[in-house]
Amino acid sequence: MPALHPDVQALLAMLRAADAQPLESLPPEAARRSYLAGRRALQPPPDEVAQIRDLAAPSPAGPVPLRLYRGEGTAPEARLPCLVYLHGGGWVLGNVESHDWVCRRLANLTRACVISVDYRLAPEHPFPAAVEDAAAALAFVVERAEGLGVDPARLAVGGDSAGGNLAAVLALMGRDGALPRTAMQVLLYPAVDLAMTSEGYERIVAGQPLTAGTMRYFVDHYVPETRDRTDWRASPARAASLAGTAPALVLTCGHDPLCEEARAYAHRLERDGVPVTALHLSDQTHGILTMSRLVRTSATILSFVAEALLERWSLEGGRGAR
């Protein structure tokens, strides 16, 4: 296995010294508190942005909370490109607060709009609740684009981990006409096959923020019915074809149980004719985007993501709002 980046080594040493309980040993409510406290401790102070608005998207299950960010330096009247962002946390943890720093930074780097989705969590709301909320959020952004100051022709979906899973599903739904098609899908160390059979589940069993055991805990809560785990809305890698989905950016980390399945997904997207940018960091671990106080590479990754978004948006008929 490749060596760990020194920043990740320091992170893991800090976690060992804290003697924190593994998330999978905690009931969901306690795990959520631990996860949110960890994100607050491991992220720098939040960037100032031009505007923040809390919104809600209607859905049959009730309003889906959203948080809209407009990047620093953007004009209030401008119709900006937009990234609809789905947070990570294994469909069990996380919310708009846990990923506030990430969304603020991306809004500022792109000088665009980021809309974060606070979808329902398992086990209280198992599959497909998160998919339904993510779909309702994307449909709302397109329907209300003018009032939100968003350009629907320059819209992307993205997320990390479980959020990357949801973003991939939305891209497939956009391809099939169930949702508006987006210009790009940003998949940051995504989970794409909940059968959990890839090599990473044999390699990463201890010593990392995310292990095979943690993923089993998440999947058991999110998709308790085993037969549903092969549904493409849970496991986008199980879709019959990926052809025609939005151009993709796929990030993978070497010390991550999701690494192999996500790299395979990027290769399959390419084989199916989808333009793909695949960024593999062999010395990094899962979850680093919300650990940027210690892992300096996190800021570099977000800058890379921002540049990729700006390039794609420029190809969709504008130069963004730089």
Side-chain angles (χ1 to χ4, degrees):
M1 189 179 295
L4 279 164
H5 189 283
D7 287 356
V8 178
Q9 293 180 29
L11 168 70
L12 297 180
M14 187 195 75
L15 295 176
R16 288 192 298 270
D19 198 25
Q21 290 179 276
L23 291 172
E24 60 267 31
S25 71
L26 301 172
E29 278 300 331
R32 287 168 189 156
R33 290 192 295 271
S34 175
Y35 180 78
L36 186 56
R39 303 292 73 73
R40 287 171 173 160
L42 293 170
Q43 295 183 84
D47 295 348
E48 292 293 329
V49 294
Q51 183 188 37
I52 294 178
R53 293 170 60 191
D54 286 328
L55 307 164
S59 82
V64 181
L66 311 175
R67 182 168 292 173
L68 178 151
Y69 305 83
R70 289 173 73 89
E72 196 170 35
T74 58
E77 70 280 3
R79 297 191 71 179
L80 303 177
C82 181
L83 169 66
V84 175
Y85 194 86
L86 293 311
H87 67 79
W91 310 274
V92 175
L93 318 174
N95 52 31
V96 294
E97 298 297 340
S98 64
H99 286 65
D100 179 72
W101 184 87
V102 171
C103 292
R104 287 171 180 260
R105 178 58 58 92
L106 284 172
N108 281 346
L109 288 170
T110 56
R111 293 194 183 176
C113 180
V114 175
I115 297 180
S116 181
V117 183
D118 204 356
Y119 55 86
R120 286 172 291 165
L121 300 176
E124 297 89 341
H125 304 285
F127 171 83
V131 175
E132 292 168 350
D133 286 1
L138 179 59
F140 170 80
V141 171
V142 174
E143 290 167 6
R144 305 292 181 87
E146 184 173 358
L148 296 174
V150 165
D151 179 359
R154 292 181 288 162
L155 186 64
V157 291
D160 61 298
S161 193
N165 168 282
L166 296 170
V169 172
L170 294 187
L172 285 161
M173 295 174 74
R175 185 270 314 269
D176 294 340
L179 284 173
R181 180 178 169 83
T182 54
M184 190 173 183
Q185 54 181 319
V186 178
L187 314 180
L188 307 173
Y189 36 78
V192 291
D193 189 351
L194 303 196
M196 297 183 289
T197 56
S198 68
E199 180 190 339
Y201 293 98
E202 302 297 327
R203 289 192 305 112
I204 311 295
V205 297
Q208 296 295 332
L210 184 74
T211 66
T214 319
M215 274 303 298
R216 291 190 185 96
Y217 169 84
F218 289 150
V219 173
D220 286 347
H221 281 313
Y222 178 52
V223 194
E225 295 291 339
T226 305
R227 65 178 179 273
D228 289 339
R229 296 177 188 178
T230 55
D231 186 318
W232 64 266
R233 296 173 302 158
S235 297
R238 302 281 173 158
S241 171
L242 305 182
T245 59
L249 168 61
V250 183
L251 168 71
T252 53
C253 297
H255 296 262
D256 178 0
L258 306 181
C259 177
E260 283 79 8
E261 68 188 64
R263 293 187 85 181
Y265 195 74
H267 289 311
R268 187 172 164 213
L269 283 164
E270 184 177 7
R271 288 197 304 271
D272 284 355
V274 178
V276 179
T277 299
L279 177 62
H280 177 63
L281 305 175
S282 65
D283 60 354
Q284 297 291 337
T285 192
H286 190 91
I288 55 175
L289 296 178
T290 54
M291 301 175 182
S292 49
R293 187 188 292 271
L294 290 182
V295 183
R296 289 165 290 182
T297 304
S298 301
T300 305
I301 294 168
L302 290 179
S303 295
F304 184 91
V305 171
E307 289 298 326
L309 283 165
L310 287 165
E311 179 183 358
R312 179 52 52 183
W313 284 331
S314 74
L315 295 174
E316 295 297 324
R319 295 185 58 83
R322 302 194 69 180

